[in-house]
Amino acid sequence: MKSDHLPKIDPTKIGANVPRRHGTLAPKIAKFFLKATGWKAVGDIPNIKKAVLLAVPHTTNMDGVYAIPTLLALDVDIKLMGKKELFKIPVLAKFLRWAGLIGIDRAKKGSTLQASIDRFNQEEQLFLGLAPEGTRKYTENWKTGFYYLAVGAGVPILPTAIDYPSKEIRFLPLFYPTGDIEADLPKIYAYYEGVTGGVIKNMSKPLQDLRNNHVSQHQV
């Protein structure tokens, strides 16, 4: 799915159902940072109360440097799932919690999945984001917990992409999982056609394949 020429997102036009942070100072500082660095949020944030967000591709620690200010500038309350090891430094841990990061123990896959499903069932509004590649390094496959989380909680998937050449955080069209993961995964991968991560060699195999096909088509 090509995502060229997506409109810039206007925070004042985001629907009332979307969970918000209701910040004042943080959005102003974040907007200044994005303007200074040239990054922007494009696409569309659907007016819904709950969704599983995909943060793709995740190839470098710099992803968070641009992604977190983008969320703050939009004033959207998106909880992000990250490895618990990030919380070992107290000062950093305090900031990460404030920014919406939830520490997870990747060794406890089943309990984390069920706890996340329960959280969706208990909260009125929840946008929960995670990186299905599960690592900043190259990997052959995505972790599929995000899919079973969406199915188990009965919520749609909102693919988002961080594209370095265009300096865009892209909010792509919603995907409603059918329960047939083998049929759905290729459709989800296709959302990321033309997207390039910060470190190309670290992009996962599904995205490498998409990128190579995209480059080949433009060289013909």
Side-chain angles (χ1 to χ4, degrees):
M1 177 178 294
K2 296 182 180 180
S3 51
D4 300 334
H5 310 302
L6 293 173
K8 187 175 180 180
I9 296 174
D10 182 349
T12 65
K13 295 182 179 179
I14 295 175
N17 286 323
V18 177
R20 308 300 292 270
R21 294 178 62 92
H22 300 296
T24 53
L25 180 59
K28 291 180 181 179
I29 296 174
K31 288 177 183 177
F32 176 82
F33 172 81
L34 294 177
K35 185 175 182 180
T37 57
W39 282 79
K40 57 185 178 294
V42 300
D44 179 59
I45 298 178
N47 188 26
I48 57 176
K49 293 184 177 182
K50 301 179 182 182
V52 171
L53 278 75
L54 304 185
V56 180
H58 182 35
T59 62
T60 168
N61 281 330
M62 290 302 295
D63 296 342
V65 173
Y66 303 118
I68 291 178
T70 298
L71 301 183
L72 293 175
L74 293 174
D75 196 40
V76 174
D77 187 10
I78 299 178
K79 305 300 183 185
L80 301 172
M81 297 179 72
K83 58 184 180 181
K84 67 176 184 178
E85 288 79 8
L86 293 172
F87 293 81
K88 288 184 177 180
I89 303 175
V91 175
L92 177 59
K94 186 175 181 179
F95 169 75
L96 292 176
R97 291 190 183 96
W98 173 81
L101 201 71
I102 301 171
I104 60 170
D105 186 347
R106 292 185 293 186
K108 300 179 179 178
K109 297 179 181 179
S111 60
T112 299
L113 174 60
Q114 188 56 53
S116 299
I117 292 174
D118 292 342
R119 185 165 187 162
F120 268 109
N121 292 334
Q122 294 163 5
E123 299 198 20
E124 182 179 352
Q125 293 176 301
L126 179 60
F127 274 22
L128 186 60
L130 65 163
E133 291 157 310
T135 176
R136 299 187 307 276
K137 299 178 181 179
Y138 174 83
T139 181
E140 292 282 325
N141 301 294
W142 287 12
K143 296 182 180 299
T144 54
F146 78 91
Y147 185 88
Y148 294 109
L149 171 56
V151 171
V155 300
I157 294 169
L158 177 55
T160 64
I162 179 167
D163 183 66
Y164 277 77
S166 63
K167 292 188 175 182
E168 291 179 345
I169 305 291
R170 299 174 180 171
F171 288 79
L172 305 170
L174 283 175
F175 182 85
Y176 289 86
T178 66
D180 184 347
I181 190 170
E182 297 299 327
D184 285 351
L185 274 181
K187 297 175 184 177
I188 295 172
Y189 296 152
Y191 277 70
Y192 294 92
E193 180 184 354
V195 172
T196 301
V199 181
I200 295 175
K201 68 178 182 179
N202 288 352
M203 292 171 64
S204 59
K205 185 178 186 302
L207 300 192
Q208 293 274 14
D209 292 344
L210 275 174
R211 184 177 183 277
N212 292 337
N213 290 336
H214 183 78
V215 172
S216 297
Q217 290 174 4
H218 283 73
Q219 289 178 341
V220 175

